[in-house]
Amino acid sequence: MRVTLLGTGTALPTGDRYQSGALVESADRSRRILVDCGSGVLHRLADTDAGYESVDAVLLTHTHLDHVADLPSLVKARVLSGVSELEIVGPNGTDETLDHLLAVDNVQERADLTVREVGPGQFDAAGFQMRACEADHSVQTLGYRFDDDGSDTETDGITFSGDTRATESVAELADGSSVLVHDCAHPDGEGGGDHASPSELAGTLAGRNIDTVYLTHLYPGTRGKEGAMVAAVEGRFDGDVKVALDRESFEV
């Protein structure tokens, strides 16, 4: 699989980080799924080789605005391009949220949408096999793991935490992943609340078999403190730790 991080920021604009979104493509590039669709993600998606017309499904971790704001624009752009079909998958509340979001400009009536709500467990979307777990945020949030059935390595696939505190459920889901993209919104001692801090994340990841962790959903207050955040996670976690960047692509 190829993963492109389209947005690694939050609801507070910084100019260099758009809101949450990532593109996951199958190894042969025949299947594509968008994970979250915050503000700016549509423009980032338009800059990829895939473009917005070729996305087969959108997978939402939760329904906060910085994860869904570009959905109406994505759906309308596809309709205007002659691609009206799209599947949208997310936790409970997704259907109701879309009714509100897509009422603007009658977008929902102009598109051919399939909306599916899922919970923890196994399911598939756009031909991808995945598993979901409950995360710990202020609204119902799911973490997702994409499994790579063709891998013969010790670790495989990629896990997205969604917005969440550091939890054993997400760490367990990610155990054995090649990559974990995890919320780490604030440096230690700042912010907190519904998001993971570096030290808290390090504690849940200690002993887990994950090759690389990308710290994402970074608030403006993390600027200049990224090195200390990485060091805090590396203090208890044996894998590589990186700060996620918009437009960054990697193979899983």
Side-chain angles (χ1 to χ4, degrees):
M1 291 181 287
R2 179 170 69 181
V3 178
T4 303
L5 302 178
L6 302 173
T8 60
T10 70
L12 298 179
T14 64
D16 55 347
R17 294 185 185 277
Y18 286 177
Q19 293 178 3
S20 295
L23 178 66
V24 180
E25 302 176 87
S26 61
D28 62 1
R29 309 297 187 256
S30 66
R31 294 170 286 117
R32 297 178 172 93
I33 191 165
L34 182 64
V35 182
D36 287 332
C37 192
S39 178
V41 168
L42 177 59
H43 289 81
R44 291 273 194 253
L45 187 57
D47 281 341
T48 67
D49 293 338
Y52 53 82
E53 302 96 333
S54 67
V55 171
D56 299 297
V58 178
L59 181 66
L60 301 178
T61 60
H62 64 294
T63 58
H64 275 164
L65 191 59
D66 56 324
H67 291 252
V68 302
D70 261 11
L71 265 177
S73 296
L74 170 64
V75 174
K76 182 172 181 179
R78 288 168 61 90
V79 168
L80 294 176
S81 300
V83 186
S84 60
E85 295 183 359
L86 183 65
E87 182 179 31
I88 302 175
V89 182
N92 289 340
T94 296
D95 201 358
E96 181 180 2
T97 297
L98 291 176
D99 283 343
H100 294 296
L101 280 175
L102 302 181
V104 177
D105 207 8
N106 295 319
V107 172
Q108 193 164 24
E109 296 179 8
R110 300 164 65 185
D112 182 8
L113 300 180
T114 301
V115 181
R116 181 158 50 110
E117 296 185 344
V118 297
Q122 295 183 334
F123 66 98
D124 65 85
F128 291 94
Q129 302 297 314
M130 61 189 73
R131 290 175 276 162
C133 76
E134 291 278 3
D136 185 2
H137 197 46
S138 56
V139 297
Q140 185 167 11
T141 301
L142 295 175
Y144 298 109
R145 176 168 175 172
F146 290 72
D147 290 312
D148 182 2
D149 295 334
S151 174
D152 58 0
T153 59
E154 186 178 352
T155 56
D156 67 79
I158 180 167
T159 301
F160 295 92
S161 73
D163 288 6
T164 183
R165 298 176 178 89
T167 67
E168 290 298 328
S169 60
V170 173
E172 182 176 349
L173 181 70
D175 201 6
S177 296
S178 296
V179 175
L180 167 62
V181 181
H182 201 290
D183 175 1
C184 195
H186 306 283
D188 285 332
E190 302 179 25
D194 298 323
H195 302 278
S197 71
S199 293
E200 290 166 347
L201 180 58
T204 61
L205 296 184
R208 301 291 183 176
N209 183 26
I210 304 166
D211 291 337
T212 304
V213 172
Y214 282 87
L215 308 182
T216 192
H217 202 64
L218 300 168
Y219 272 84
T222 62
R223 185 170 289 166
K225 302 176 183 178
E226 296 93 341
M229 295 172 68
V230 168
V233 179
E234 288 179 333
R236 298 186 63 185
F237 171 67
D238 291 335
D240 292 332
V241 181
K242 300 181 179 181
V243 174
L245 301 172
D246 282 24
R247 296 191 176 99
E248 184 169 4
S249 292
F250 50 87
E251 300 287 335
V252 177

